[in-house]
């Protein structure tokens, strides 16, 4: 019940945006993935203070928390769903202790083929994890993320 309440609060926060349809625009699969993550002890924050601190970040992950920053998405629900998958992949990387892939050059070139530019990431030490998360968010679906959460975080 607590998880449903948390999701309802997140939806209420999205509804309060300049675009009140934001909460209705997310696919059920994305909302179910967030609910599942919360049911396993993960925390989901929408428009937290970290979003202000790291603006214009679309999202952030820290340990078992993800922060979704709605304003930079400008009502683009597909992009927000992509951000949810991206940030949850960072949680998976955290559970693993590193990126899942072992070859940073391959991760970066594969992500670049999907459109990743590395823009905004000045530290080459984060390119591997960011490129991997970008690729997974673009190429994989919520089912894959859930299975990976189970494998790396919730065994």
């Amino acid at each position: 019940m607590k998880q449903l309440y948390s999701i309802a609060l997140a939806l209420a926060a999205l509804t309060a945006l300049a675009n009140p349809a934001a909460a209705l625009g997310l696919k059920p699969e994305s909302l179910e993935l967030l609910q599942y993550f919360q049911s396993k002890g993960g925390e989901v924050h929408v428009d937290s203070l970290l979003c202000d601190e790291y603006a214009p970040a679309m999202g952030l992950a820290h340990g078992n928390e993800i922060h979704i920053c709605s304003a930079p998405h400008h009502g683009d629900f597909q992009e927000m769903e992509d951000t949810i998958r991206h940030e949850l992949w960072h949680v998976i990387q955290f559970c693993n202790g590193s990126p899942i892939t072992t070859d940073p050059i391959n991760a970066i070139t594969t992500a670049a083929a999907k459109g990743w530019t590395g823009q905004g990431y000045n530290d080459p030490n984060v390119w591997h994890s960011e490129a991997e998360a970008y690729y997974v968010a673009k190429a994989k679906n919520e089912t894959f993320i859930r299975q990976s959460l189970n494998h790396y975080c919730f065994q």
Side-chain angles (χ1 to χ4, degrees):
M1 193 55 114
K2 181 180 176 187
Q3 292 85 14
L4 290 175
Y5 179 72
S6 296
I7 290 291
L9 285 177
L11 288 174
L14 287 172
T15 304
L17 300 173
N19 182 357
L24 301 176
L26 292 175
K27 293 186 310 190
E29 295 87 354
S30 293
L31 294 173
E32 290 166 7
L33 180 60
L34 290 173
Q35 182 181 9
Y36 177 73
F37 177 62
Q38 286 185 311
S39 76
K40 295 295 191 173
E43 295 181 31
V44 176
H45 305 276
V46 177
D47 296 325
S48 69
L49 294 176
L50 284 179
C51 292
D52 294 333
E53 186 176 337
Y54 291 96
M58 293 186 166
L60 303 145
H62 182 356
N64 72 334
E65 298 178 13
I66 64 167
H67 300 257
I68 304 301
C69 309
S70 59
H73 293 93
H74 303 290
D76 184 337
F77 309 123
Q78 288 181 334
E79 185 178 69
M80 193 177 294
E81 292 159 357
D82 181 87
T83 298
I84 291 167
R85 291 188 302 275
H86 180 104
E87 298 309 331
L88 285 173
W89 193 258
H90 283 313
V91 171
I92 292 163
Q93 291 171 330
F94 175 79
C95 292
N96 190 53
S98 68
I100 306 305
T101 58
T102 57
D103 182 356
I105 300 301
N106 186 50
I108 291 166
T109 55
T110 303
K114 288 281 189 188
W116 188 72
T117 64
Q119 182 179 357
Y121 303 105
N122 298 326
D123 181 359
N125 294 321
V126 302
W127 290 353
H128 184 186
S129 62
E130 289 298 336
E132 182 183 271
Y134 180 93
Y135 171 77
V136 169
K138 293 289 185 195
K140 303 297 182 179
N141 63 19
E142 287 77 8
T143 300
F144 180 83
I145 301 295
R146 183 178 177 147
Q147 290 169 343
S148 298
L149 281 166
N150 284 335
H151 179 75
Y152 290 100
C153 301
F154 307 137
Q155 294 184 29

